[in-house]
Amino acid sequence: LRTTLLFLSPKDLYTAPDSCEGRCREPYSPEDECHCNPECERHRNCCEDYYRHCRDGEHPRCRGAREGCSPPELSGGWGAQRGWLQARVDVRALLSLPTLWFYNSPRLYKYVNEELFSKPTYASFIKLLDNYQRATGREEDVTAEELREQDNFLREVMKTELMKKLFAFLHKKNRYGSEQEFVADLKEMWFGLYSRGDGEQDSSGFEHVFSGEVKKGKVSGFHNWIRFYLLEKQGAVNYFSHNFEGPWDTYPDVLGLQFSWDGFYKEVGSAFIGSSPEFEFGLYTLCFIARPGRACHLSLGGYSLSIQTYTWTKSTYGDGKKYIATAYVISS
């Protein structure tokens, strides 16, 4: 039995538009996350790029933005990061991107050169993936060895140019005073435990996004290509379909897909294909800090890209800081 699978648009799946690109002077709609008609200035509910798209770049002073800068300034900060966001590990020299057959292939990946996985950030990332009980509602038992693996992964990613430049950018914005403070916060926001069940410390941002969970009989999170590849190799993942036929000639490649994991179904998922752990970890971190709970629109190498993040609202750490609930690339 073969079921035809329908992929909805990112707007239908995830969020109302939060950019004014192509929306200037459109009628007000309460469904929109932000607005682009002239009245938005009076009501102070304009999208952050309203002045860039609808007022020829004219903008007022920052109005209490969390990052301490005007929206155009922050957008410019992201623009300046395009170079480092592309300064990734040379994946394509080592990775043969998948040949994808729609519906009639038992596997997503035809071939991956696993020499890639010996690189320090990959090796330390992969060691983290088996540290979790995937079922929500079951308390995580974090061992001393697993804590060391978390520290080792953070140590390795912070050696990369990408993460060093991310820290420099956030330090310039007065978000962190030192690299030590930044790393300590990364450990809390990504690896700090909270409860998705009935009080058990059963989940974390890292587990949800990169390793994947099962909640109420369905796959939740699971947005990483390396995790998918390793489980598919073991026969634990059954790939159903994807929403992109190529050509695979640009970066980043983004795939929307449907699959099952030991019989648990993922109806709509998304993942980068072929990116390094530090690329995804850094990009999700940037968007979570700068645009928590909203779509984060970026341009990488001239290609538009959107990341959605959500904060965990039921518990906090430190002085009211929020954990990562999820982060994923929006696929179209």
Side-chain angles (χ1 to χ4, degrees):
L1 178 64
R2 188 169 68 186
T3 303
T4 300
L5 302 172
L6 173 66
F7 282 89
L8 302 175
S9 70
K11 179 178 179 181
D12 293 330
L13 287 172
Y14 304 117
T15 184
D18 67 351
S19 171
C20 282
E21 185 173 4
R23 295 176 56 208
C24 297
R25 297 187 176 275
E26 71 175 8
Y28 170 82
S29 170
E31 300 297 322
D32 291 338
E33 181 174 325
C34 59
H35 306 280
C36 305
N37 57 341
E39 290 297 304
C40 73
E41 295 182 82
R42 182 165 61 88
H43 295 291
R44 296 198 174 191
N45 57 11
C46 299
C47 296
E48 293 181 345
D49 60 1
Y50 169 75
Y51 296 96
R52 179 157 55 91
H53 288 297
C54 304
R55 291 285 300 275
D56 297 323
E58 177 189 354
H59 61 276
R61 290 184 177 181
C62 178
R63 294 171 177 169
R66 172 184 170 185
E67 293 82 3
C69 57
S70 67
E73 180 185 344
L74 185 56
S75 297
W78 279 352
Q81 303 310 306
R82 293 177 189 174
W84 69 260
L85 288 171
Q86 295 175 80
R88 62 195 185 282
V89 175
D90 187 9
V91 171
R92 293 184 179 277
L94 295 170
L95 173 67
S96 176
L97 288 170
T99 298
L100 303 176
W101 304 95
F102 198 61
Y103 295 125
N104 62 353
S105 172
R107 296 180 67 88
L108 173 63
Y109 289 96
K110 183 177 181 180
Y111 172 75
V112 172
N113 187 336
E114 294 188 13
E115 290 179 17
L116 183 69
F117 298 157
S118 65
K119 291 179 175 291
T121 57
Y122 288 81
S124 59
F125 172 81
I126 289 170
K127 284 186 177 180
L128 294 169
L129 296 177
D130 63 357
N131 289 352
Y132 302 101
Q133 301 185 70
R134 66 183 176 186
T136 59
R138 297 178 61 185
E139 187 93 14
E140 292 290 349
D141 181 18
V142 183
T143 67
E145 177 62 24
E146 290 171 352
L147 290 173
R148 285 192 290 272
E149 289 175 355
Q150 293 174 10
D151 290 336
N152 186 52
F153 171 71
L154 292 171
R155 184 162 51 248
E156 292 299 338
V157 295
M158 286 306 302
K159 293 177 183 177
T160 65
E161 181 185 2
L162 185 150
M163 290 299 291
K164 287 184 178 297
K165 289 188 175 180
L166 174 58
F167 166 68
F169 173 69
L170 295 172
H171 178 66
K172 183 179 179 181
K173 297 297 181 183
N174 298 315
R175 183 64 173 80
Y176 296 101
S178 67
E179 185 173 311
Q180 182 180 8
E181 179 189 357
F182 177 47
V183 172
D185 200 33
L186 287 174
K187 186 169 184 177
E188 288 290 346
M189 74 170 72
W190 278 106
F191 295 101
L193 293 175
Y194 50 80
S195 174
R196 290 184 190 263
D198 298 319
E200 306 88 352
Q201 298 292 91
D202 63 347
S203 185
S204 69
F206 186 92
E207 176 185 7
H208 182 85
V209 173
F210 294 107
S211 183
E213 298 178 297
V214 172
K215 183 176 182 180
K216 297 181 179 179
K218 293 185 179 181
V219 177
S220 180
F222 198 141
H223 299 288
N224 181 254
W225 75 271
I226 299 173
R227 175 66 161 164
F228 191 102
Y229 167 74
L230 294 173
L231 287 176
E232 185 177 57
K233 184 181 177 183
Q234 297 169 16
V237 164
N238 184 17
Y239 155 69
F240 294 144
S241 67
H242 65 277
N243 70 340
F244 182 57
E245 292 289 347
W248 298 91
D249 57 1
T250 62
Y251 191 86
D253 291 321
V254 175
L255 190 68
L257 69 165
Q258 296 173 319
F259 61 92
S260 67
W261 180 15
D262 288 336
F264 299 104
Y265 186 50
K266 180 70 173 182
E267 183 177 1
V268 179
S270 65
F272 288 106
I273 301 297
S275 54
S276 67
E278 61 266 29
F279 175 89
E280 295 183 40
F281 191 72
L283 190 58
Y284 291 153
T285 298
L286 170 65
C287 286
F288 179 74
I289 291 172
R291 296 289 184 269
R294 290 177 285 169
C296 171
H297 301 298
L298 300 169
S299 175
L300 292 99
Y303 293 88
S304 297
L305 183 73
S306 295
I307 302 295
Q308 178 70 51
T309 67
Y310 288 103
T311 60
W312 185 252
T313 60
K314 297 180 181 179
S315 59
T316 61
Y317 67 91
D319 187 18
K321 293 182 177 181
K322 300 293 181 64
Y323 297 104
I324 292 175
T326 191
Y328 51 83
V329 58
I330 297 177
S331 62
S332 58

